[in-house]
Amino acid sequence: MKKLLVLCALALTIGSAVGCSKQDAGSASPQKSDGNTATAVDMSEKLTINWMARSYQGGGWPDDNPMIQELNKKFNVDIKIQWVPAANYKEKLNVLAASNDFPDVFLVLNPEFNKWKKQGLFLDIQPDLHQYPNLSNIPKDRLYSLNPKGKLLGLPYYVTETRDSLSIREDWLKKLNLSAPKTIDEFYEVAKAFATKDPDGNGQQDTTGFSFYYDQTNNTIVDANFIMAGFGISNQWKDVNGKLVPYQTQVEEWKKFLTFMNKAYNEGVLDKDFAVNKVRSTVEKFEANKVGFAYLNPNDWKNHVNAVKKLTPGAVVTAIDPPKGPTGLTGTITYEMLEKNVINAKIDPKKQQRILKILDYFLSPEGSDFIKNGIEGVHYKKVSDGKYEKLPAADKDRQNLLNNWVFRPFDPGIQMYKWEDPTYHQMIREMFAANEKSVWRNKGAGLESETMTKSGANLNIKFMETVSKIIMGREPVSAIEKASADWLAGGGNKIIEEINKSYTE
């Protein structure tokens, strides 16, 4: 009965997918480019800039926030930011499109960028890019990704692609006299011990090895990525001799993965409630001393560790490399940079150039320091050479919102602040560097397919329902063959054709 309830919850969970040096403002004098400063733009006229940004917990700034006031003064502008909650952002974009009333500069989500990039809505930055050295220095593969050939209609919003670290309870390892796993087989044995040998010492069998959840947006498995990669399953799309192949057709790889997962489910190594997990469920269960493995964000490492230690003061959390599969394959959670900052093609060219100057500034050493750490003397103060102190206004003003939510440098250190311990920063950077070795890139990320837009979600739901039934033992492993064939017959063949056309364009 419990299996049936969980399966029903899965259908609801997945099915719901269908239905974060001062310059005189009036100066127009030329500036020498030192690689960090944009070519001079006439800033003698004060311009109002309407900017739409996505916001998360706590909402955005009021217009009188010191950070906005500082930018207004520096660039002789009056910035009006409309902060739209992330949950409503897609809807807001489509409302604006229907009324043809876009702001001057705004973030565009991947589907909308693909849909609108041929309609003349976005400024082509390419002709003037040479005037903005910091924008020009964005890695070319990311800068031009998803843009039409020869054009630059959107600037990428940076994400650390291999941000999250696979993490383990090292104190549990020590208690059970085990070592961190190097292979998938060793991972299974450690996870099984975490589930059956009372690693928390409370005399109850109330822990398990690992868990995962379903991403409701893409209907994909998250947090078991390293196991999928180890068995050779691609991150949705892989390049085979110049042609993109979807993971729904990797039947033999799926069989090996599902055999492993079904065994883990039957033996209590896998969290029995995986199908009803939400986005943060795996992290919350790790912090609650319920599972021994989880993906954790190094940027939030202290908070993760403190949460675990709150319940178990002697807890030790350690990041590990993803274990290798039977043939030596490995991979880790890999995020894609698909969202674009765009400038309205229909606004005054003076506004367009002023916006580009501001965006270029954000990526300069001075500007990136500003949007992350805030204003010296207001949000932090210098104590001595190389040492700084955070001031109370930083928490009040939330000086880092532009950096966190709007546009920021291509640097994993985007959330490392100058008042923090440099040795802590070094530890985090080493974690990021280790994660990069196991990048598991989706070669088809962001590519266009009309059929996938219309039918892809339903097709993926059906496919993942079979995956879950197999994991729970309600279907044999061989059922994945029919699931793959059904996916192809239901529209998958057309999706493959359209994705490959987009891939070669």
Side-chain angles (χ1 to χ4, degrees), residues 83-158:
W83 301 93
V84 179
N88 307 116
Y89 198 83
K90 183 181 181 74
E91 178 186 1
K92 180 66 176 179
L93 280 175
N94 285 284
V95 167
L96 292 174
S99 60
N100 194 24
D101 187 26
F102 287 112
D104 301 327
V105 55
F106 55 105
L107 182 79
V108 181
L109 308 178
N110 164 237
E112 284 67 36
F113 182 75
N114 278 337
K115 186 165 55 175
W116 299 332
K117 66 186 178 185
K118 297 176 184 176
Q119 298 182 13
L121 299 174
F122 311 140
L123 173 70
D124 183 7
I125 300 166
Q126 185 59 41
D128 295 322
L129 183 64
H130 65 282
Q131 299 181 48
Y132 302 97
N134 301 299
L135 298 178
S136 299
N137 283 336
I138 294 173
K140 295 296 181 283
D141 60 333
R142 294 302 170 218
L143 182 61
Y144 291 102
S145 172
L146 305 183
N147 279 278
K149 283 187 178 177
K151 296 185 183 238
L152 182 57
L153 304 181
L155 297 166
Y157 171 78
Y158 171 78

Side-chain angles (χ1 to χ4, degrees), residues 78-252:
D78 182 14
I79 296 175
K80 304 290 187 185
I81 301 183
Q82 180 183 9
W83 301 93
V84 179
N88 307 116
Y89 198 83
K90 183 181 181 74
E91 178 186 1
K92 180 66 176 179
L93 280 175
N94 285 284
V95 167
L96 292 174
S99 60
N100 194 24
D101 187 26
F102 287 112
D104 301 327
V105 55
F106 55 105
L107 182 79
V108 181
L109 308 178
N110 164 237
E112 284 67 36
F113 182 75
N114 278 337
K115 186 165 55 175
W116 299 332
K117 66 186 178 185
K118 297 176 184 176
Q119 298 182 13
L121 299 174
F122 311 140
L123 173 70
D124 183 7
I125 300 166
Q126 185 59 41
D128 295 322
L129 183 64
H130 65 282
Q131 299 181 48
Y132 302 97
N134 301 299
L135 298 178
S136 299
N137 283 336
I138 294 173
K140 295 296 181 283
D141 60 333
R142 294 302 170 218
L143 182 61
Y144 291 102
S145 172
L146 305 183
N147 279 278
K149 283 187 178 177
K151 296 185 183 238
L152 182 57
L153 304 181
L155 297 166
Y157 171 78
Y158 171 78
V159 297
T160 306
E161 290 182 305
T162 50
R163 183 194 68 186
D164 296 347
S165 294
L166 182 62
S167 305
I168 190 172
R169 283 292 297 272
E170 187 175 340
D171 55 312
W172 287 9
L173 283 176
K174 185 176 180 181
K175 183 176 186 298
L176 301 177
N177 197 28
L178 297 169
S179 299
K182 303 291 185 186
T183 67
I184 289 289
D185 286 342
E186 291 175 0
F187 162 78
Y188 189 88
E189 293 308 314
V190 170
K192 185 173 182 179
F194 285 173
T196 62
K197 295 186 178 180
D198 192 23
D200 59 354
N202 68 353
Q204 302 177 41
Q205 194 170 330
D206 58 354
T207 56
T208 192
F210 70 103
S211 189
F212 72 90
Y213 70 95
Y214 288 99
D215 180 340
Q216 294 185 37
T217 302
N218 301 312
N219 302 303
T220 54
I221 290 171
V222 182
D223 281 0
N225 310 68
F226 65 99
I227 306 174
M228 295 175 70
F231 283 109
I233 298 175
S234 65
N235 184 1
Q236 299 188 60
W237 293 88
K238 70 174 181 176
D239 186 314
V240 179
N241 300 321
K243 181 178 179 180
L244 292 186
V245 176
Y247 74 166
Q248 289 91 345
T249 63
Q250 291 186 278
V251 172
E252 294 308 311

Side-chain angles (χ1 to χ4, degrees), residues 209-431:
F210 70 103
S211 189
F212 72 90
Y213 70 95
Y214 288 99
D215 180 340
Q216 294 185 37
T217 302
N218 301 312
N219 302 303
T220 54
I221 290 171
V222 182
D223 281 0
N225 310 68
F226 65 99
I227 306 174
M228 295 175 70
F231 283 109
I233 298 175
S234 65
N235 184 1
Q236 299 188 60
W237 293 88
K238 70 174 181 176
D239 186 314
V240 179
N241 300 321
K243 181 178 179 180
L244 292 186
V245 176
Y247 74 166
Q248 289 91 345
T249 63
Q250 291 186 278
V251 172
E252 294 308 311
E253 290 86 349
W254 275 103
K255 285 181 179 179
K256 294 171 185 174
F257 169 75
L258 291 170
T259 298
F260 177 95
M261 296 294 279
N262 173 247
K263 179 183 177 184
Y265 183 84
N266 288 336
E267 296 185 354
V269 178
L270 168 63
D271 173 21
K272 296 280 188 182
D273 295 326
F274 70 87
V276 294
N277 280 341
K278 306 298 183 186
V279 173
R280 276 189 53 84
S281 292
T282 52
V283 173
E284 290 168 354
K285 290 180 180 183
F286 184 87
E287 292 178 344
N289 292 285
K290 296 301 181 184
V291 298
F293 290 88
Y295 272 104
L296 303 180
N297 179 358
N299 288 321
D300 206 27
W301 190 255
K302 283 182 178 177
N303 290 330
H304 291 311
V305 172
N306 288 340
V308 175
K309 284 180 173 291
K310 185 176 181 180
L311 295 177
T312 307
V316 179
V317 180
T318 303
I320 62 171
D321 292 333
K324 294 180 179 179
T327 62
L329 293 174
T330 189
T332 196
I333 286 181
T334 303
Y335 300 99
E336 303 295 337
M337 290 181 233
L338 302 178
E339 297 168 342
K340 305 289 185 182
N341 280 281
V342 300
I343 299 172
N344 193 326
K346 297 180 170 43
I347 62 174
D348 188 330
K350 291 179 184 177
K351 271 194 186 184
Q352 294 171 346
Q353 295 302 317
R354 196 78 59 91
I355 291 166
L356 284 169
K357 189 171 180 67
I358 294 171
L359 293 174
D360 191 80
Y361 169 72
F362 287 172
L363 302 192
S364 71
E366 177 191 330
S368 60
D369 178 83
F370 168 74
I371 62 173
K372 179 165 65 172
N373 298 300
I375 305 165
E376 184 172 3
V378 176
H379 301 118
Y380 68 91
K381 69 178 181 181
K382 187 173 183 178
V383 178
S384 60
D385 286 344
K387 293 198 180 227
Y388 300 86
E389 178 184 330
K390 179 182 177 183
L391 297 176
D395 291 328
K396 177 176 71 74
D397 294 337
R398 296 178 299 152
Q399 88 295 335
N400 56 3
L401 293 196
L402 290 172
N403 178 73
N404 287 3
W405 297 348
V406 181
F407 192 60
R408 70 269 191 103
F410 276 60
D411 175 19
I414 47 173
Q415 288 182 256
M416 300 178 189
Y417 301 98
K418 63 200 311 177
W419 49 79
E420 294 175 336
D421 182 0
T423 58
Y424 177 69
H425 288 177
Q426 182 59 30
M427 181 189 78
I428 302 305
R429 286 191 179 276
E430 288 172 359
M431 292 168 70

